[in-house]
Amino acid sequence: MTELYPNAPTGPSRRSALRAAGAGTLLLGTGLAGCRSAVSEASAGSRSESAGPRRGGTLQVAVNSDFTPALLFSQSGQSLQHRLIYNTLTRYDDRLTPKPELAESWTYADDGRSITLRLRDDVTFHNGRQFTADDVVFAVKNLQNPLRAAQLRATAEAVTGFEKRGDHELVLKLAHPVNNLFDLFEFMIISDPESVEDAVTGGKLIGTGPFRLTRWSPGSGLSLERNDHYWQPGRPYLDGVELRVIPQADALISSLRSGQSQLSFNVPGKNLGALKNDTRLRVKDYDTGGGAVYLGVNTTVAPLDDRTVRQALARAVDRDRLLEQALGGYGLASSAPWPKSSPAFSETHRTHYAHDPGKARELLRSAGVTSLRLPLLHVALPGETAIAESIQYDLEQVGVRVTLEPTDPATAQKKLISQDMPALWAAGHGFAQVQPSTLAVSAYPFNEAKNTSRYRSARYTEVVREAWTKREQTPAAVNALHESISRILLDEAFIIDLVVRGQVQVSAAGLHGATLNKFSYLDLDNAYLV
């Protein structure tokens, strides 16, 4: 038995199984150290923090859009609450090394065609039922279900067999090796099989997580209370969490400044500069690259079916101006989707499309385009509207007239999944922060088999599949595959990346221990208020 990918950063040591180093408190404590860097921290509250964690209190989290039950098993802007209610099998540290959560340890087969999971035996669901291997089997099969909007379905579908060895040991058998299995394990929430159909309608959300759902008020938000039977001893510290929907930017910022809310990830970028000097608040940038701003292009709409036109649009957008004016300087202007932490990152790719309106106009003329009017869909929230307006301005400087089409977040996500976008859209994507193959296999905008842009290429499919499934690869071979994927994305420009950015957290100075996983699920196991 051995690890699946000896050269990949996710793999355990060869011929060894990873085990949790002690109790659950230590296990999840490691997650707090990674995945973020402090951009600005107020000194207020530091003396209280040194006194140690305090129990009690209800955390008020301001969100700009409501929970969408139909998207429960996907990753989107409505996924913040996932890790509050549910656990996952594993969790990455900042080096993309998987750490135990509900899976205590694991062992790969030498051929990479199976993995044996040893599961915690002290975990119960909110309804009192014990967590067993059957729940992992269900979780995988649930993501294989085409009725679920799940980005990592391709990886779930690679699991073709299950062998239970008692209630807390399970062998997953794979159709072929995959190098992003731990992406699946951190993405896949473990839900109660008996209530899952109620969950996707918002009726019951039953997991094993630190908080229990007490109420969902559509349009207003979620109310959660402490799970007194949580498997981590003494956790969580908080009595409860309220996720309150505040779509108006001014009202959201006011709630933070007044103390009515203690946490938000939805402050528009242009407002962050003013808040980071407020001693009552802290601003932190989760620099995992868990998100990116992009311009999407429907390649079935003429003349966008011509990649020369798409390349012209890529050169027309001033990424640096967008970053500073619409995002408050938080992020990394980039033509490629990869954060600096990704093994696929390249400075050459990042700067591939320099802002060059003259070159953009020249490319349009060479494609026979003298005037062009196109719709651009965007989410009707202040931050997203600012991004769309910035893109609109830049495109108009090269003769492309853009009509903005605002919509709500849930509708935008559904259109993204169903490939029902207009000619252009401005949005954000994730999945570049984990294994590079995951972006092209699983993210809706990039999926090699079925993407929102309706772009298809035999070469793209070939390269992506090789990067995803080939087991034995030298570092040079891995780098070459990453280079090939990046080159196709840049040349074909069906997704035009603009800025790589993580989540920017604004919190009260008295809140400590809040963090995010690689898929931007909020983790409050160790959070407390002072």
Side-chain angles (χ1 to χ4, degrees), residues 5 10 22 36 42 44 46 59-61 107 145 174 258 267 291 298 303 311 319 373 420 440 446 461 484 499:
Y5 273 78
T10 54
R36 63 188 188 273
S46 59
L59 178 65
Q60 301 290 331
V61 182
T107 309
N145 183 349
L174 305 173
S258 67
V267 175
N298 186 333
Q311 290 172 355
R319 292 167 174 79
R373 293 182 178 274
D420 192 29
F446 296 88
T461 294
S484 295
V499 176

Side-chain angles (χ1 to χ4, degrees), residues 61 63-74 76-86 189 196-206 213 215-224 243-246 266 408-411 414:
V61 182
V63 296
N64 62 4
S65 58
D66 199 10
F67 165 62
T68 305
L71 300 177
L72 179 63
F73 297 103
S74 68
S76 71
Q78 291 78 46
S79 303
L80 193 65
Q81 72 286 322
H82 282 16
R83 181 51 181 71
L84 304 181
I85 301 170
Y86 304 98
I189 57 175
V196 69
E197 295 306 323
D198 286 331
V200 295
T201 61
K204 295 181 181 178
L205 304 180
I206 298 176
L213 177 69
R215 184 178 72 256
W216 174 45
S217 301
S220 298
L222 299 166
S223 297
L224 311 173
L243 285 87
R244 301 168 53 230
V245 179
I246 308 177
N266 298 127
D408 63 275
T411 298
K414 290 174 183 176

